[in-house]
Amino acid sequence: MEVNIEPSWKAALQDEFDKPYFSILTSYVRKEYQSGVCYPPAKLIFNAFNLCPLSKVKVVLIGQDPYHEPGQAQGLCFSVNDGVPFPPSLQNIFKEINTDLGKPVPRSGSLVRWAQQGVFLLNATLSVRAGQAGSHQGKGWEEFTDRVIKELSDRRSGLVFMLWGSYAKRKGLMIDRKKHLVLEAAHPSPLSANRGGFFGCRHFSQANKWLADHGEPTIDW
């Protein structure tokens, strides 16, 4: 199957695109977008891949599925378009960065700036029906993104994986922890974060120390 995606990812994943399940998934997603409102906009489904080629990835952040309210989703986990109020999880991420690194909370919730520095912002499910969280789960996206994570683990070395919450931790079971730094914490959603385990995790400074120790430019979070 021909998929419009950044060339290095296309080369790595072409055999996945050719599998029967991916054809079924594509047909399902196309019908969903034709019959109602879905997010992100179709042209941004593979935005995380297009902004961050395989060879440029330094940090991997795994989310669950896209935001499902108008104007939010832009194909990058936890990220929202400029001018959109910060969802609670993103507010807490910025709070932790402020505590960890002393950086002020930004005016924009768009994390495109992270992606352009090598932060791969992957949702486990790459599309969703408007107003219905999790509505495109169990249709094949999870199988595809498992393959993506395996490719990153196998093809690259010295990456930082940030796994927040039980879902992301399960998703990261295939990561080779002898080759990569895996940082785990509670999810930044208010219920989980306020119970303890996200605030104070200091993942952002830990990631930058790891990158610096491996001769890589750090991330301007």
Side-chain angles (χ1 to χ4, degrees):
M1 173 176 291
E2 189 68 23
V3 175
N4 186 17
I5 195 171
E6 190 277 331
S8 66
W9 283 110
K10 185 179 180 65
L13 299 169
Q14 185 58 58
D15 65 323
E16 200 72 16
F17 297 143
D18 292 336
K19 291 180 179 178
Y21 90 87
F22 197 84
S23 178
I24 295 169
L25 168 64
T26 302
S27 296
Y28 170 80
V29 171
R30 187 178 293 116
K31 288 176 183 175
E32 284 284 286
Y33 274 78
Q34 289 172 348
S35 62
V37 178
C38 294
Y39 300 117
K43 66 181 181 180
L44 296 180
I45 287 176
F46 293 109
N47 200 26
F49 300 81
N50 295 331
L51 289 174
C52 195
L54 180 54
S55 64
K56 303 295 186 184
V57 176
K58 295 192 288 188
V59 179
V60 182
L61 187 52
I62 300 174
Q64 196 157 349
D65 67 348
Y67 295 124
H68 54 267
E69 298 299 332
Q72 291 181 318
Q74 56 176 188
L76 307 172
C77 70
F78 296 108
S79 179
V80 293
N81 287 300
D82 287 338
V84 175
F86 302 167
S89 291
L90 186 58
Q91 291 181 34
N92 287 338
I93 290 168
F94 289 148
K95 285 179 185 177
E96 176 59 22
I97 292 171
N98 175 256
T99 301
D100 189 10
L101 299 172
K103 292 181 65 67
V105 174
R107 292 183 177 181
S108 170
S110 173
L111 304 182
V112 168
R113 61 188 183 278
W114 291 6
Q116 291 170 336
Q117 297 176 77
V119 182
F120 186 55
L121 297 160
L122 178 69
N123 274 315
T125 304
L126 299 187
S127 60
V128 69
R129 201 176 299 145
Q132 298 181 45
S135 50
H136 287 183
Q137 291 178 4
K139 305 298 182 181
W141 278 131
E142 294 90 344
E143 183 174 350
F144 172 69
T145 51
D146 278 350
R147 169 65 185 276
V148 171
I149 295 166
K150 188 174 189 311
E151 287 296 308
L152 284 163
S153 179
D154 291 351
R155 288 175 181 257
R156 300 292 312 281
S157 61
L159 300 182
V160 181
F161 288 83
M162 295 183 179
L163 309 180
W164 298 337
S166 58
Y167 185 90
K169 291 173 186 176
R170 289 194 301 271
K171 195 84 174 161
L173 290 175
M174 68 191 73
I175 299 165
D176 184 345
R177 297 177 187 227
K178 295 177 182 177
K179 294 171 57 181
H180 306 287
L181 176 64
V182 178
L183 302 174
E184 298 186 349
H187 195 275
S189 63
L191 184 60
S192 298
N194 291 325
R195 274 194 195 135
F198 179 75
F199 291 130
C201 70
R202 306 191 77 88
H203 281 186
F204 304 97
S205 59
Q206 289 184 65
N208 277 352
K209 182 180 186 306
W210 172 272
L211 292 173
D213 288 347
H214 286 75
E216 292 284 350
T218 58
I219 304 298
D220 180 8
W221 298 105

